[in-house]
Amino acid sequence: MIKKEIAHIRKQFKLDHDLLNIYDILNVYIMKDSSEIYHWERQPFGLVDREKQELYMGNFKKLLAGELDQKLFELKFQEDAEEPARVLLHQALVTGDPDEWQEMMLMLVERMLTDTVYEKDMVVTFVRGQYYRPTKARNDEAEETGKDEMFAHPFILCSVNSTEQQRKNLMFDYVEREFKYNVMVDPIIKLSTPEQGFFYPSVTDNYSDVNRILYCSGRAHEPNPVFLDKVLNAEPTITALEERGFFENIVKEVAGDSLDTATLAHVYEEIYNVIESNKDAEEPPRLDYTDVERVLKSSGVENVTAEKVALAFETVIDDKNYEMKASSVIPKFTTKSIKIETKVATVSVSPQDLRYIKQVNFQGRRCLMIEVDEDVVIEGFTLSSETI
């Protein structure tokens, strides 16, 4: 599953969309400090109040938002799981019986309650449905359009949301003309901030992949390992932040702790070119130790050999054949994603512009020098230039 496929799926989640059908919705309420289901209810999604439907659609779109390997993780299932969730989910996907689907989803909730105590009341929401995707792009000059032939994708989506108690408020009663204390005690379900969830099955190159699942984390770089292992029986995942740490430590092993900004900018540019040249590939590009060797050599790092980089992989990751996702190891290339923090100021710069910043020694003091093409204006005043 690649970014554009996730974006396509996310766009379908709006009311009255002709390429999306949601059949049933199941809500399960879990009390905090409890290991039991407190309440559940299932109904056809079409019979849900329209205002509620809009809230649910917003929740589903929020769940599917985020970057791959940061908040969204495409995972394979474990091969040796005793009671594999893959089998349970596949059976739930293909059954046409809402009662059977409901029973299987409640079994997943029971897994969530095993050895886990929640600090807040939780609501687990499941929907089953189907979305459609054209098999070819629309051709306005042809008699037939891209919508004449479609791929149908049955799916199951799960969203886990916490609750919060309503705040105490003072209210004014227009009829009685008096101030009243709000004593509402019903918890609010935080649909705008899902804690986690999943979308099954994953999709690759327009085809459903029942051997993979898209896990959605509510917080960037913080997948829930217990949920992945015990509930979904998915293989462990590495976040983009962890892989960036791997890359940084490998470069330090090879080139040392210090790099000038021009060299670092060149490293980022080389990797960005790899990403761009493979942006339409079925699988995202990865970097092994030979790729890292090539990047470092072309960036001007001295004394780089394949053996030295392979040893760095072995030292940092304990696997010289490990392959890192290219998109994970660099900051966002075209935005000001790098922050240079000093005691007096924080400077934000994009990786492609990093070459215009240098650390220099001036009169015995370290200084940050930024090359600019135009006059710098501060609070309406143009700064005067000094010649060093």
Side-chain angles (χ1 to χ4, degrees):
M1 177 175 281
I2 57 178
K3 188 175 182 178
K4 65 180 182 180
E5 291 173 325
I6 297 174
H8 174 81
I9 294 169
R10 188 171 179 268
K11 287 179 181 178
Q12 313 310 311
F13 283 95
K14 56 185 177 182
L15 295 182
D16 305 322
H17 199 292
D18 59 349
L19 296 181
L20 174 73
N21 290 324
I22 296 181
Y23 306 128
D24 293 283
I25 183 168
L26 170 66
N27 284 306
V28 184
Y29 197 94
I30 302 170
M31 296 285 285
K32 65 179 180 180
D33 302 326
S34 172
S35 58
E36 297 179 354
I37 295 174
Y38 179 74
H39 174 72
W40 61 262
E41 64 178 35
R42 187 200 82 223
Q43 64 182 131
F45 192 75
L47 298 182
V48 176
D49 294 340
R50 190 169 181 86
E51 292 78 8
K52 290 183 180 179
Q53 289 183 351
E54 290 179 350
L55 289 174
Y56 285 125
M57 287 297 190
N59 175 49
F60 302 151
K61 293 188 74 170
K62 186 73 173 180
L63 183 72
L64 295 171
E67 297 289 334
L68 279 168
D69 301 313
Q70 296 183 24
K71 294 187 71 175
L72 305 176
F73 302 87
E74 187 185 38
L75 306 174
K76 295 180 180 179
F77 291 102
Q78 299 172 11
E79 294 293 338
D80 55 351
E82 293 184 5
E83 298 179 358
R86 173 174 52 185
V87 174
L88 183 67
L89 285 167
H90 187 260
Q91 290 175 347
L93 183 72
V94 299
T95 182
D97 185 350
D99 291 328
E100 185 178 3
W101 173 77
Q102 169 191 297
E103 180 182 352
M104 294 176 181
M105 296 303 97
L106 292 176
M107 290 172 65
L108 280 179
V109 177
E110 293 291 349
R111 292 187 179 204
M112 291 176 56
L113 297 173
T114 303
D115 300 325
T116 301
V117 177
Y118 294 96
E119 297 179 356
K120 298 180 180 179
D121 290 2
M122 307 295 290
V123 176
V124 187
T125 301
F126 297 95
V127 292
R128 70 183 188 98
Q130 186 165 261
Y131 74 93
Y132 302 87
R133 186 163 188 175
T135 60
K136 56 185 176 181
R138 178 187 289 272
N139 185 350
D140 293 330
E141 297 179 357
E143 294 183 1
E144 294 185 352
T145 68
K147 285 190 176 181
D148 292 330
E149 186 179 345
M150 313 286 282
F151 279 127
H153 296 276
F155 70 88
I156 296 170
L157 182 144
C158 168
S159 178
V160 181
N161 298 77
S162 62
T163 67
E164 64 181 359
Q165 295 299 320
Q166 298 190 46
R167 295 180 179 179
K168 299 177 182 179
N169 294 307
L170 191 65
M171 302 173 60
F172 180 73
D173 189 326
Y174 280 103
V175 178
E176 300 295 333
R177 297 191 179 186
E178 63 176 331
F179 294 95
K180 292 184 177 180
Y181 178 63
N182 181 6
V183 294
M184 295 291 291
V185 296
D186 294 334
I188 297 174
I189 303 170
K190 299 168 66 175
L191 291 178
S192 61
T193 54
E195 298 282 327
Q196 62 182 336
F198 64 80
F199 183 91
Y200 175 83
S202 179
V203 179
T204 301
D205 196 24
N206 249 13
Y207 291 95
S208 295
D209 186 349
V210 295
N211 294 314
R212 300 189 183 194
I213 188 168
L214 182 69
Y215 169 76
C216 314
S217 174
R219 299 174 184 82
H221 308 293
E222 295 184 19
N224 186 329
V226 176
F227 190 90
L228 297 184
D229 182 34
K230 302 300 182 183
V231 179
L232 299 181
N233 304 137
E235 293 183 353
T237 183
I238 302 291
T239 69
L241 188 63
E242 290 173 318
E243 284 207 321
R244 188 176 302 175
F246 292 161
F247 179 74
E248 291 173 357
N249 288 326
I250 287 168
V251 174
K252 288 179 181 178
E253 287 285 330
V254 176
D257 292 342
S258 299
L259 284 180
D260 60 73
T261 52
T263 301
L264 189 56
H266 203 153
V267 169
Y268 289 154
E269 185 176 356
E270 285 288 326
I271 297 175
Y272 179 73
N273 290 337
V274 172
I275 297 170
E276 284 296 292
S277 61
N278 291 275
K279 63 182 179 181
D280 295 325
E282 184 175 317
E283 291 290 334
R286 294 178 177 272
L287 305 174
D288 60 15
Y289 74 88
T290 61
D291 297 314
V292 174
E293 176 205 4
R294 178 188 58 77
V295 166
L296 295 181
K297 279 185 175 180
S298 61
S299 301
V301 179
E302 298 179 351
N303 301 320
V304 177
T305 64
E307 293 76 14
K308 197 172 182 180
V309 179
L311 180 59
F313 267 72
E314 190 73 40
T315 302
V316 174
I317 313 176
D318 198 26
D319 182 4
K320 75 172 185 178
N321 296 316
Y322 185 85
E323 297 180 349
M324 298 174 285
K325 283 188 178 179
S327 59
S328 297
V329 302
I330 63 171
K332 289 185 177 179
F333 193 74
T334 56
T335 64
K336 295 181 179 180
S337 55
I338 296 176
K339 286 184 171 37
I340 303 172
E341 297 184 356
T342 70
K343 185 170 63 175
V344 296
T346 298
V347 179
S348 297
V349 62
S350 67
Q352 61 183 349
D353 293 330
L354 191 59
R355 66 184 76 248
Y356 300 115
I357 295 180
K358 291 180 173 60
Q359 178 175 284
V360 299
N361 287 316
F362 174 65
Q363 295 182 350
R365 291 179 293 181
R366 279 185 301 227
C367 298
L368 196 64
M369 185 174 70
I370 304 175
E371 180 183 338
V372 295
D373 294 329
E374 66 285 330
D375 288 334
V376 177
V377 179
I378 298 178
E379 298 293 331
F381 295 95
T382 301
L383 295 186
S384 59
S385 297
E386 300 179 26
T387 301
I388 301 178

